[in-house]
Coordinates of all heavy atoms in Angstrom, one line a residue:
M28 N 0.8 -1.2 0.0 CA 0.0 0.0 0.0 C 0.9 1.2 0.0 O 1.8 1.3 0.7 CB -0.9 0.0 1.2 CG -1.8 1.3 1.3 SD -2.8 1.3 2.8 CE -4.3 0.9 2.1
V29 N 0.6 2.2 -0.8 CA 1.3 3.5 -0.9 C 0.8 4.4 0.2 O -0.4 4.4 0.5 CB 1.0 4.2 -2.3 CG1 1.7 5.5 -2.3 CG2 1.5 3.3 -3.4
F30 N 1.7 5.1 0.9 CA 1.4 5.9 2.0 C 0.3 6.9 1.6 O 0.3 7.6 0.6 CB 2.6 6.7 2.5 CG 2.3 7.7 3.6 CD1 2.0 7.3 4.9 CD2 2.2 9.1 3.3 CE1 1.7 8.2 5.9 CE2 1.9 10.0 4.3 CZ 1.7 9.5 5.6
G31 N -0.8 7.0 2.4 CA -1.9 7.9 2.1 C -3.0 7.4 1.2 O -4.0 7.9 1.1
M32 N -2.7 6.3 0.5 CA -3.6 5.7 -0.4 C -4.5 4.7 0.4 O -3.9 3.9 1.2 CB -2.9 5.0 -1.6 CG -2.0 5.9 -2.4 SD -3.0 7.1 -3.3 CE -1.7 8.1 -4.0
T33 N -5.8 4.7 0.1 CA -6.6 3.8 0.9 C -7.4 2.8 0.0 O -8.0 1.9 0.6 CB -7.6 4.6 1.7 OG1 -8.4 5.4 0.9 CG2 -6.9 5.5 2.8
A34 N -7.4 3.0 -1.3 CA -8.2 2.1 -2.1 C -7.4 1.8 -3.4 O -6.7 2.7 -3.9 CB -9.5 2.7 -2.5
K35 N -7.5 0.6 -3.9 CA -6.9 0.2 -5.1 C -8.0 0.0 -6.1 O -8.9 -0.8 -5.8 CB -6.0 -1.0 -5.0 CG -5.2 -1.3 -6.2 CD -4.2 -2.4 -6.0 CE -3.4 -2.6 -7.2 NZ -2.2 -3.3 -7.0
V36 N -8.0 0.7 -7.2 CA -9.0 0.5 -8.2 C -8.4 0.3 -9.6 O -7.3 0.7 -9.8 CB -10.0 1.8 -8.3 CG1 -10.7 1.9 -6.9 CG2 -9.2 3.0 -8.6
T37 N -9.2 -0.2 -10.5 CA -8.7 -0.4 -11.9 C -9.5 0.6 -12.7 O -10.7 0.7 -12.7 CB -9.1 -1.8 -12.4 OG1 -8.4 -2.8 -11.5 CG2 -8.6 -2.0 -13.8
L38 N -8.7 1.4 -13.4 CA -9.2 2.5 -14.3 C -8.7 2.3 -15.7 O -7.6 1.7 -15.9 CB -8.8 3.9 -13.8 CG -9.2 4.2 -12.4 CD1 -8.5 5.5 -11.9 CD2 -10.7 4.3 -12.3
S39 N -9.4 2.8 -16.7 CA -9.0 2.7 -18.1 C -8.8 4.1 -18.6 O -9.7 5.0 -18.4 CB -10.0 1.9 -18.9 OG -10.1 0.6 -18.5
F40 N -7.7 4.4 -19.3 CA -7.5 5.7 -19.9 C -7.1 5.5 -21.3 O -6.5 4.5 -21.7 CB -6.3 6.4 -19.1 CG -6.6 6.7 -17.7 CD1 -6.2 5.8 -16.7 CD2 -7.3 7.8 -17.3 CE1 -6.5 6.1 -15.4 CE2 -7.6 8.1 -16.0 CZ -7.2 7.2 -15.0
S41 N -7.2 6.5 -22.1 CA -6.7 6.5 -23.5 C -5.2 6.5 -23.4 O -4.6 6.9 -22.4 CB -7.2 7.7 -24.3 OG -6.5 8.9 -23.8
D42 N -4.5 5.9 -24.5 CA -3.1 5.9 -24.5 C -2.5 7.3 -24.3 O -1.5 7.5 -23.6 CB -2.6 5.3 -25.8 CG -2.9 3.8 -25.9 OD1 -3.1 3.2 -24.8 OD2 -2.9 3.2 -27.0
E43 N -3.1 8.3 -25.0 CA -2.6 9.6 -24.9 C -2.7 10.2 -23.5 O -1.7 10.8 -23.0 CB -3.4 10.5 -25.9 CG -2.9 12.0 -25.9 CD -3.8 12.8 -26.9 OE1 -4.1 12.3 -28.0 OE2 -4.1 13.9 -26.5
T44 N -3.8 10.0 -22.9 CA -4.0 10.5 -21.5 C -3.0 9.9 -20.5 O -2.4 10.6 -19.8 CB -5.4 10.2 -21.0 OG1 -6.3 10.9 -21.9 CG2 -5.6 10.7 -19.6
I45 N -2.8 8.6 -20.6 CA -1.9 7.9 -19.6 C -0.5 8.3 -19.9 O 0.3 8.5 -18.9 CB -2.1 6.4 -19.6 CG1 -1.6 5.8 -18.3 CG2 -1.5 5.7 -20.8 CD1 -2.4 6.2 -17.1
E46 N -0.1 8.5 -21.1 CA 1.3 8.9 -21.4 C 1.5 10.4 -20.9 O 2.6 10.7 -20.4 CB 1.6 8.8 -22.9 CG 1.8 7.4 -23.4 CD 2.8 6.7 -22.6 OE1 3.9 7.2 -22.3 OE2 2.5 5.5 -22.2
E47 N 0.6 11.2 -21.1 CA 0.7 12.6 -20.6 C 0.8 12.6 -19.1 O 1.6 13.3 -18.5 CB -0.5 13.5 -21.0 CG -0.4 13.8 -22.5 CD -1.6 14.6 -23.0 OE1 -2.5 15.0 -22.1 OE2 -1.7 14.9 -24.2
A48 N -0.1 11.8 -18.4 CA -0.1 11.7 -17.0 C 1.3 11.1 -16.5 O 1.8 11.7 -15.5 CB -1.2 10.8 -16.5
R49 N 1.8 10.2 -17.2 CA 3.1 9.6 -16.8 C 4.2 10.7 -16.9 O 5.1 10.8 -16.0 CB 3.5 8.4 -17.6 CG 2.8 7.2 -17.2 CD 3.3 6.0 -18.0 NE 2.7 4.8 -17.6 CZ 2.0 3.9 -18.3 NH1 1.8 4.2 -19.6 NH2 1.4 2.9 -17.8
R50 N 4.1 11.5 -18.0 CA 5.1 12.5 -18.2 C 5.0 13.6 -17.1 O 6.0 14.0 -16.5 CB 4.9 13.1 -19.6 CG 6.0 14.0 -20.1 CD 5.9 14.3 -21.6 NE 4.6 14.8 -22.0 CZ 3.8 14.1 -22.8 NH1 4.1 12.9 -23.2 NH2 2.6 14.6 -23.2
F51 N 3.8 14.0 -16.8 CA 3.6 15.0 -15.7 C 4.1 14.5 -14.4 O 4.7 15.2 -13.6 CB 2.2 15.5 -15.7 CG 1.8 16.4 -16.8 CD1 0.7 16.1 -17.6 CD2 2.5 17.6 -17.1 CE1 0.3 17.0 -18.6 CE2 2.1 18.4 -18.1 CZ 1.0 18.1 -18.9
A52 N 3.7 13.3 -14.1 CA 4.1 12.7 -12.8 C 5.6 12.6 -12.7 O 6.2 13.0 -11.6 CB 3.5 11.2 -12.7
K53 N 6.3 12.2 -13.7 CA 7.8 12.1 -13.7 C 8.4 13.5 -13.5 O 9.3 13.7 -12.7 CB 8.3 11.5 -15.0 CG 9.8 11.3 -15.0 CD 10.2 10.6 -16.3 CE 11.7 10.5 -16.3 NZ 12.2 9.8 -17.5
R54 N 7.8 14.5 -14.2 CA 8.3 15.9 -14.1 C 8.2 16.4 -12.7 O 9.1 17.1 -12.2 CB 7.6 16.8 -15.1 CG 8.1 18.2 -15.1 CD 7.3 19.1 -16.0 NE 6.0 19.3 -15.3 CZ 5.0 19.9 -15.9 NH1 5.0 20.3 -17.1 NH2 3.9 20.1 -15.2
E55 N 7.1 16.0 -12.0 CA 6.9 16.5 -10.7 C 7.5 15.6 -9.6 O 7.3 15.8 -8.4 CB 5.4 16.7 -10.4 CG 4.8 17.8 -11.3 CD 3.3 18.0 -11.2 OE1 2.8 17.7 -10.1 OE2 2.7 18.5 -12.1
G56 N 8.1 14.5 -10.0 CA 8.7 13.6 -9.1 C 7.8 12.8 -8.3 O 8.0 12.4 -7.1
L57 N 6.6 12.5 -8.9 CA 5.6 11.7 -8.2 C 5.4 10.4 -8.9 O 5.7 10.2 -10.1 CB 4.2 12.5 -8.2 CG 4.2 13.8 -7.5 CD1 2.9 14.5 -7.8 CD2 4.4 13.6 -6.0
S58 N 4.8 9.4 -8.1 CA 4.4 8.2 -8.8 C 3.2 8.5 -9.6 O 2.5 9.5 -9.4 CB 4.1 7.1 -7.8 OG 2.9 7.5 -7.0
L59 N 2.9 7.7 -10.6 CA 1.7 7.9 -11.4 C 0.4 7.9 -10.5 O -0.4 8.7 -10.7 CB 1.6 6.8 -12.5 CG 0.4 6.9 -13.4 CD1 0.3 8.2 -14.1 CD2 0.3 5.7 -14.4
S60 N 0.4 7.0 -9.5 CA -0.8 6.9 -8.6 C -0.9 8.2 -7.8 O -2.0 8.8 -7.7 CB -0.7 5.7 -7.7 OG -0.8 4.5 -8.4
A61 N 0.2 8.7 -7.3 CA 0.1 9.9 -6.5 C -0.3 11.1 -7.4 O -1.1 12.0 -7.0 CB 1.5 10.2 -5.8
W62 N 0.2 11.2 -8.6 CA -0.1 12.3 -9.5 C -1.6 12.2 -9.9 O -2.3 13.2 -9.9 CB 0.8 12.2 -10.8 CG 0.6 13.5 -11.6 CD1 1.3 14.7 -11.4 CD2 -0.4 13.7 -12.6 NE1 0.8 15.6 -12.3 CE2 -0.2 15.0 -13.1 CE3 -1.3 12.9 -13.2 CZ2 -1.0 15.6 -14.1 CZ3 -2.1 13.4 -14.2 CH2 -1.9 14.8 -14.7
M63 N -2.1 11.0 -10.2 CA -3.5 10.9 -10.5 C -4.4 11.2 -9.4 O -5.4 11.9 -9.5 CB -3.8 9.5 -11.0 CG -3.1 9.1 -12.3 SD -3.7 10.1 -13.7 CE -4.9 9.0 -14.4
D64 N -4.0 10.9 -8.1 CA -4.7 11.2 -6.9 C -4.8 12.7 -6.8 O -5.9 13.3 -6.6 CB -4.1 10.6 -5.7 CG -4.9 10.9 -4.4 OD1 -6.0 10.3 -4.3 OD2 -4.3 11.6 -3.6
Q65 N -3.7 13.4 -7.0 CA -3.6 14.8 -6.9 C -4.5 15.5 -7.9 O -5.2 16.5 -7.7 CB -2.2 15.3 -7.0 CG -2.0 16.8 -6.9 CD -0.5 17.2 -7.0 OE1 0.4 16.5 -6.5 NE2 -0.2 18.2 -7.8
A66 N -4.4 15.0 -9.2 CA -5.1 15.6 -10.3 C -6.6 15.4 -10.0 O -7.4 16.4 -10.3 CB -4.7 14.9 -11.6
A67 N -7.1 14.3 -9.6 CA -8.5 14.1 -9.3 C -9.0 15.0 -8.1 O -10.0 15.6 -8.2 CB -8.7 12.6 -8.9
R68 N -8.1 15.1 -7.1 CA -8.5 16.0 -6.0 C -8.6 17.4 -6.4 O -9.5 18.1 -6.1 CB -7.4 15.8 -4.9 CG -7.7 16.6 -3.6 CD -6.7 16.4 -2.5 NE -6.3 15.0 -2.4 CZ -7.0 14.2 -1.6 NH1 -8.1 14.6 -1.0 NH2 -6.6 12.9 -1.5
E69 N -7.6 17.9 -7.3 CA -7.7 19.3 -7.8 C -8.9 19.5 -8.6 O -9.5 20.6 -8.5 CB -6.4 19.6 -8.6 CG -5.2 19.7 -7.7 CD -3.9 19.9 -8.5 OE1 -3.9 19.9 -9.7 OE2 -2.8 19.9 -7.8
K70 N -9.3 18.5 -9.4 CA -10.5 18.6 -10.2 C -11.7 18.7 -9.4 O -12.6 19.6 -9.6 CB -10.6 17.4 -11.2 CG -11.9 17.3 -12.0 CD -12.1 18.4 -13.0 CE -13.3 18.1 -13.8 NZ -13.6 19.2 -14.7
A71 N -11.8 17.9 -8.3 CA -12.9 18.0 -7.4 C -13.0 19.3 -6.7 O -14.1 19.9 -6.6 CB -12.8 16.9 -6.3
V72 N -11.9 19.9 -6.3 CA -11.9 21.2 -5.6 C -12.3 22.3 -6.6 O -13.1 23.1 -6.2 CB -10.5 21.5 -5.0 CG1 -10.4 23.0 -4.6 CG2 -10.2 20.6 -3.9
R73 N -11.9 22.2 -7.8 CA -12.3 23.2 -8.9 C -13.8 23.1 -9.1 O -14.5 24.1 -9.2 CB -11.6 23.0 -10.2 CG -10.2 23.6 -10.2 CD -9.6 23.6 -11.7 NE -9.7 22.3 -12.3 CZ -8.7 21.4 -12.3 NH1 -7.7 21.6 -11.5 NH2 -8.8 20.3 -12.9
E74 N -14.3 21.9 -9.1 CA -15.8 21.7 -9.3 C -16.6 22.3 -8.1 O -17.6 23.0 -8.3 CB -16.2 20.2 -9.4 CG -15.7 19.6 -10.7 CD -16.4 20.1 -11.9 OE1 -17.6 20.4 -11.8 OE2 -15.8 20.1 -13.0
L75 N -16.0 22.1 -6.9 CA -16.7 22.7 -5.7 C -16.7 24.2 -5.7 O -17.7 24.9 -5.4 CB -16.0 22.2 -4.4 CG -16.3 20.8 -4.1 CD1 -15.4 20.3 -2.9 CD2 -17.8 20.6 -3.7
F76 N -15.5 24.8 -6.1 CA -15.4 26.3 -6.1 C -16.3 26.8 -7.2 O -16.9 27.9 -7.1 CB -13.9 26.7 -6.4 CG -13.1 26.7 -5.1 CD1 -12.1 25.9 -4.9 CD2 -13.5 27.6 -4.1 CE1 -11.3 25.9 -3.7 CE2 -12.7 27.7 -2.9 CZ -11.7 26.8 -2.7
T77 N -16.4 26.1 -8.4 CA -17.2 26.6 -9.4 C -18.7 26.6 -9.0 O -19.4 27.5 -9.3 CB -17.0 25.7 -10.7 OG1 -15.7 25.8 -11.1 CG2 -17.9 26.1 -11.8
A78 N -19.1 25.5 -8.3 CA -20.5 25.4 -7.8 C -20.8 26.5 -6.8 O -21.8 27.1 -6.8 CB -20.7 24.0 -7.2
H79 N -19.8 26.8 -5.9 CA -19.9 27.8 -4.9 C -20.1 29.2 -5.6 O -20.9 30.0 -5.2 CB -18.8 27.8 -3.9 CG -18.9 28.9 -2.9 ND1 -18.2 30.1 -3.0 CD2 -19.6 28.9 -1.7 CE1 -18.5 30.8 -2.0 NE2 -19.3 30.1 -1.2
A80 N -19.2 29.5 -6.6 CA -19.3 30.7 -7.3 C -20.6 30.9 -8.0 O -21.2 32.0 -7.9 CB -18.1 30.8 -8.3
A81 N -21.1 29.8 -8.5 CA -22.4 29.9 -9.2 C -23.5 30.2 -8.2 O -24.4 31.0 -8.5 CB -22.7 28.6 -10.0
A82 N -23.5 29.5 -7.0 CA -24.5 29.8 -6.0 C -24.4 31.2 -5.5 O -25.5 31.8 -5.3 CB -24.3 28.8 -4.8
V83 N -23.2 31.7 -5.3 CA -23.1 33.1 -4.8 C -23.6 34.1 -5.9 O -24.3 35.0 -5.6 CB -21.6 33.4 -4.5 CG1 -21.3 34.9 -4.4 CG2 -21.1 32.7 -3.3
G84 N -23.3 33.8 -7.2 CA -23.9 34.6 -8.2 C -25.4 34.6 -8.3 O -26.0 35.6 -8.5
R85 N -26.0 33.4 -8.1 CA -27.4 33.3 -8.1 C -28.1 34.0 -6.9 O -29.2 34.5 -7.0 CB -27.9 31.8 -8.1 CG -27.7 31.1 -9.4 CD -28.4 29.7 -9.4 NE -27.9 28.9 -8.3 CZ -26.9 28.1 -8.3 NH1 -26.1 28.0 -9.4 NH2 -26.6 27.3 -7.3
A86 N -27.3 34.1 -5.8 CA -27.8 34.8 -4.6 C -27.7 36.3 -4.8 O -28.2 37.0 -3.9 CB -27.0 34.3 -3.4
G87 N -27.0 36.7 -5.8 CA -26.9 38.2 -6.1 C -25.9 38.8 -5.2 O -25.9 40.1 -5.0
V88 N -24.9 38.1 -4.6 CA -23.9 38.7 -3.8 C -22.8 39.1 -4.7 O -22.3 38.4 -5.6 CB -23.3 37.6 -2.8 CG1 -22.2 38.2 -2.0 CG2 -24.5 37.1 -1.9
D89 N -22.4 40.4 -4.5 CA -21.3 41.0 -5.3 C -20.0 41.0 -4.4 O -19.8 41.9 -3.6 CB -21.7 42.4 -5.7 CG -20.6 43.0 -6.6 OD1 -19.5 42.5 -6.8 OD2 -20.9 44.1 -7.2
L90 N -19.2 39.9 -4.6 CA -18.1 39.7 -3.7 C -17.0 40.8 -4.0 O -16.4 41.3 -3.0 CB -17.4 38.4 -3.9 CG -18.3 37.2 -3.5 CD1 -17.6 35.9 -3.8 CD2 -18.7 37.3 -2.1
E91 N -16.9 41.3 -5.2 CA -15.9 42.3 -5.5 C -16.3 43.6 -4.8 O -15.5 44.3 -4.1 CB -15.8 42.6 -7.0 CG -14.7 43.6 -7.3 CD -14.5 43.7 -8.8 OE1 -15.2 43.1 -9.6 OE2 -13.6 44.5 -9.2
A92 N -17.6 44.0 -4.8 CA -18.0 45.2 -4.2 C -17.9 45.1 -2.6 O -17.5 46.0 -2.0 CB -19.5 45.5 -4.5
A93 N -18.1 43.9 -2.1 CA -18.0 43.7 -0.7 C -16.5 43.8 -0.3 O -16.2 44.4 0.8 CB -18.5 42.3 -0.3
A94 N -15.6 43.2 -1.1 CA -14.2 43.3 -0.7 C -13.7 44.8 -0.8 O -12.9 45.2 0.1 CB -13.4 42.5 -1.7
L95 N -14.2 45.5 -1.8 CA -13.8 46.9 -1.9 C -14.3 47.7 -0.7 O -13.6 48.6 -0.2 CB -14.2 47.5 -3.2 CG -13.5 47.0 -4.5 CD1 -14.2 47.5 -5.7 CD2 -12.1 47.4 -4.4
A96 N -15.6 47.4 -0.3 CA -16.1 48.1 0.9 C -15.3 47.8 2.1 O -15.1 48.7 3.0 CB -17.6 47.7 1.0
D97 N -14.9 46.5 2.3 CA -14.1 46.1 3.4 C -12.8 46.9 3.4 O -12.3 47.4 4.5 CB -13.8 44.6 3.4 CG -15.0 43.8 3.8 OD1 -16.0 44.4 4.3 OD2 -15.0 42.6 3.6
E98 N -12.2 47.0 2.3 CA -10.9 47.7 2.2 C -11.1 49.2 2.5 O -10.2 49.7 3.2 CB -10.4 47.6 0.7 CG -9.0 48.1 0.5 CD -8.5 47.9 -0.9 OE1 -8.4 46.7 -1.3 OE2 -8.3 48.8 -1.6
H99 N -12.1 49.8 2.1 CA -12.4 51.2 2.4 C -12.7 51.3 3.9 O -12.2 52.3 4.5 CB -13.7 51.6 1.6 CG -14.0 53.0 1.9 ND1 -13.3 54.1 1.5 CD2 -15.1 53.6 2.5 CE1 -13.8 55.2 1.9 NE2 -15.0 54.9 2.5
E100 N -13.4 50.4 4.5 CA -13.6 50.5 5.9 C -12.3 50.3 6.7 O -12.1 51.1 7.7 CB -14.6 49.4 6.3 CG -15.1 49.5 7.8 CD -16.2 48.5 8.1 OE1 -16.9 48.0 7.2 OE2 -16.2 48.1 9.3
V101 N -11.5 49.5 6.3 CA -10.2 49.3 7.0 C -9.4 50.6 6.9 O -8.8 51.1 7.9 CB -9.4 48.1 6.4 CG1 -7.9 48.1 6.9 CG2 -10.0 46.8 6.8
A102 N -9.4 51.2 5.8 CA -8.7 52.5 5.6 C -9.3 53.6 6.5 O -8.5 54.4 7.1 CB -8.7 52.9 4.1
M103 N -10.6 53.6 6.6 CA -11.2 54.6 7.5 C -10.9 54.4 8.9 O -10.6 55.4 9.7 CB -12.8 54.6 7.3 CG -13.2 55.1 6.0 SD -15.0 55.0 5.7 CE -15.8 55.0 7.2
V104 N -10.9 53.1 9.4 CA -10.5 52.8 10.8 C -9.0 53.2 11.0 O -8.7 53.8 12.0 CB -10.8 51.3 11.1 CG1 -10.2 50.9 12.4 CG2 -12.3 51.1 11.1
D105 N -8.2 52.8 10.0 CA -6.8 53.2 10.1 C -6.6 54.7 10.3 O -5.8 55.2 11.1 CB -6.0 52.7 8.9 CG -4.5 52.9 9.0 OD1 -3.9 52.5 10.0 OD2 -4.0 53.6 8.1
D106 N -7.3 55.4 9.4 CA -7.2 56.9 9.5 C -7.7 57.4 10.8 O -7.1 58.3 11.4 CB -8.1 57.5 8.4 CG -7.8 59.0 8.2 OD1 -6.7 59.4 8.3 OD2 -8.8 59.7 8.1
A107 N -8.8 56.9 11.4 CA -9.3 57.3 12.6 C -8.4 57.0 13.8 O -8.2 57.8 14.7 CB -10.7 56.7 12.9
L108 N -7.8 55.8 13.8 CA -7.0 55.3 14.9 C -5.5 55.9 14.8 O -4.9 56.2 15.8 CB -6.9 53.8 14.9 CG -8.2 53.1 15.3 CD1 -8.1 51.6 15.2 CD2 -8.7 53.5 16.7
F109 N -5.0 55.9 13.6 CA -3.6 56.2 13.4 C -3.3 57.5 12.6 O -2.2 57.7 12.2 CB -2.9 55.0 12.8 CG -3.1 53.7 13.6 CD1 -3.9 52.8 13.1 CD2 -2.4 53.6 14.8 CE1 -4.1 51.6 13.8 CE2 -2.6 52.4 15.5 CZ -3.5 51.4 15.0
G110 N -4.3 58.2 12.3 CA -4.1 59.4 11.5 C -3.7 59.2 10.1 O -3.2 60.0 9.4
G111 N -4.0 57.9 9.6 CA -3.7 57.6 8.2 C -2.3 57.4 7.8 O -1.9 57.4 6.7
D112 N -1.4 57.3 8.9 CA 0.0 57.1 8.6 C 0.4 55.7 8.2 O 1.5 55.3 8.0 CB 0.9 57.6 9.7 CG 0.9 56.8 11.0 OD1 0.1 55.8 11.0 OD2 1.5 57.2 11.9
G113 N -0.6 54.8 8.2 CA -0.4 53.4 7.7 C 0.2 52.5 8.8 O 0.6 51.4 8.4
R114 N 0.2 52.9 10.0 CA 0.8 52.0 11.0 C 0.1 50.7 11.2 O 0.6 49.7 11.6 CB 0.9 52.8 12.4 CG 1.9 53.8 12.4 CD 2.1 54.4 13.7 NE 0.9 55.2 14.0 CZ 0.7 55.8 15.2 NH1 1.6 55.8 16.1 NH2 -0.4 56.5 15.4
A115 N -1.2 50.7 10.9 CA -2.0 49.4 11.0 C -1.6 48.4 10.0 O -1.8 47.2 10.2 CB -3.5 49.7 11.0
A116 N -1.1 48.8 8.9 CA -0.7 47.9 7.8 C 0.5 47.1 8.1 O 1.1 46.6 8.8 CB -0.5 48.6 6.5

């Protein structure tokens, strides 16, 4: 058993896909199994973030405007507490 791996499965890939995966794994100094595990995990995380972004968009939340408002508020507090000399940063 490879450290951190908990299941052994049989998968089928096209010749082109498996050769590219082997090349990337070698370049990164990983076993093919470890590289495929990482690639699958990264894909799952991207899917989750994409779904989250879509849900936020459907909710009508403007994250960019909220971030800019937060930045402005921090600057106002900094100015009030430190006279705007940037000591809080």
Side-chain angles (χ1 to χ4, degrees):
M28 176 184 256
V29 178
F30 176 73
M32 302 291 177
T33 59
K35 185 170 184 164
V36 297
T37 301
L38 302 169
S39 298
F40 297 96
S41 70
D42 291 338
E43 181 181 319
T44 298
I45 201 66
E46 286 308 313
E47 288 177 3
R49 284 186 174 121
R50 196 168 46 253
F51 286 126
K53 184 177 180 179
R54 184 184 72 189
E55 294 179 26
L57 298 171
S58 68
L59 179 60
S60 292
W62 190 87
M63 294 295 264
D64 182 69
Q65 178 180 318
R68 184 177 313 275
E69 288 173 2
K70 173 68 173 171
V72 169
R73 278 194 307 273
E74 292 289 330
L75 288 171
F76 278 115
T77 299
H79 179 263
V83 167
R85 286 190 305 273
V88 178
D89 186 348
L90 295 178
E91 184 175 2
L95 291 172
D97 287 348
E98 186 176 296
H99 179 70
E100 187 174 334
V101 167
M103 287 176 26
V104 170
D105 183 56
D106 188 45
L108 293 175
F109 304 108
D112 68 1
R114 289 186 292 179

